[in-house]
Amino acid sequence: MRHIPWICTSHFASVALAAIALANPISQAIDPPGIGSKWVYRVHSGDRRTNWTRMIAATASIDGRSCRVATSTDDSGKMARSLTGGPDIRVSGGLLYWDLDTLDVVADSAFVTIDGRPAEMRRIRRFTEGRHGHPYRIGQRWRHEDTMTTHRDGEEISRTVKSYETKVVGREEVLGWVSSRLEYVLVAIDGEPVEPALERTEWWSPDVRGEVKVIIHEARYAEEETRELVSVDLR
């Protein structure tokens, strides 16, 4: 079975952080976004530019958890990621599942083409160590495993399990929003330890119930990807 790099169209893999002031060391509990809430992000990687729109569409259950379900759409349908010696992967949209109790992201999927052929990439997150979910404290850390599978024509063609240590490293003002900064550090692949590597940085604001900014640092991609919030409409 061939390993195919997995792409998150959402804010991948994420937790919702509730920080109300830079000086406050403990965040406050917040309510989940309601159905109809919408965020628009400006996304760029190298010379590629597009906007992504995310909207809360429904409530569903994932592994016994009640979740908000959000759709994520690439407005141009042309967002691609450059891989060294790998396939051309182009994203058109996806789904994201937020746990209503903790505001953790517990699953998501991406609708893509791989070398011109349609496929779906899915991820299920399992928390393995430490306290996760809001309210959050600077210095808090936890571990989770992401099981990532790729499906084409109803068959699973790739499976990888990546283990992360996630840290709340501080509170900053980003794009005018007071936000908590989260770092995702890769520590193992398929159960084998790897040299720890920062793969993703997110800035979360309780005022927008989501990320203000995301930077994806994964070394296997030719260029970093950056996502910045353009507008938000909460319901």
Side-chain angles (χ1 to χ4, degrees):
M1 183 178 293
R2 184 165 68 112
H3 288 307
I4 297 179
W6 193 95
I7 295 177
C8 172
T9 67
S10 68
H11 50 40
F12 173 110
S14 308
V15 273
L17 296 175
I20 61 171
L22 289 170
N24 186 2
I26 303 176
S27 65
Q28 304 299 309
I30 58 175
D31 294 326
I35 292 176
S37 296
K38 182 171 73 173
W39 303 256
V40 177
Y41 291 90
R42 182 181 300 111
V43 183
H44 59 89
S45 176
D47 60 357
R48 297 177 293 278
R49 301 286 188 276
T50 189
N51 284 346
W52 281 357
T53 299
R54 181 188 304 144
M55 178 177 289
I56 301 292
T59 300
S61 179
I62 297 290
D63 290 337
R65 303 183 181 101
S66 294
C67 298
R68 286 279 194 261
V69 184
T71 61
S72 183
T73 306
D74 177 0
D75 294 353
S76 71
K78 298 179 179 179
M79 195 61 191
R81 304 193 75 174
S82 299
L83 306 172
T84 302
D88 172 71
I89 301 178
R90 198 168 296 269
V91 182
S92 61
L95 298 173
L96 173 73
Y97 298 83
W98 271 303
D99 188 308
L100 283 175
D101 291 329
T102 65
L103 294 185
D104 290 310
V105 172
V106 296
D108 56 12
S109 64
F111 308 126
V112 302
T113 59
I114 302 173
D115 290 337
R117 297 181 62 190
E120 181 182 358
M121 294 175 165
R122 303 171 186 168
R123 168 170 47 195
I124 297 292
R125 175 163 293 171
R126 183 173 70 91
F127 296 94
T128 59
E129 183 180 329
R131 190 185 71 80
H132 60 92
H134 75 91
Y136 290 83
R137 183 190 300 270
I138 294 174
Q140 180 182 346
R141 64 179 64 202
W142 60 93
R143 291 198 175 205
H144 59 268
E145 290 182 349
D146 288 348
T147 299
M148 299 174 286
T149 56
T150 303
H151 301 259
R152 179 186 287 146
D153 298 328
E155 295 185 3
E156 181 181 306
I157 61 174
S158 176
R159 173 178 290 260
T160 302
V161 179
K162 299 178 76 173
S163 300
Y164 291 89
E165 180 176 270
T166 302
K167 300 179 289 185
V168 182
V169 299
R171 193 158 292 123
E172 304 168 358
E173 184 173 327
V174 177
L175 300 177
W177 303 96
V178 175
S179 306
S180 293
R181 176 170 171 164
L182 225 67
E183 293 185 350
Y184 292 80
V185 177
L186 178 68
V187 295
I189 298 177
D190 293 332
E192 295 295 327
V194 298
E195 186 70 22
L198 178 66
E199 285 205 344
R200 185 182 182 95
T201 305
E202 297 181 353
W203 289 265
W204 275 81
S205 170
D207 295 324
V208 305
R209 301 297 194 273
E211 325 106 310
V212 171
K213 183 175 181 178
V214 178
I215 301 177
I216 299 174
H217 313 277
E218 292 184 60
R220 60 186 169 179
Y221 296 108
E223 295 129 347
E224 286 190 344
E225 180 176 297
T226 300
R227 308 171 188 175
E228 296 180 329
L229 183 67
V230 175
S231 65
V232 59
D233 178 14
L234 294 178
R235 305 292 176 90

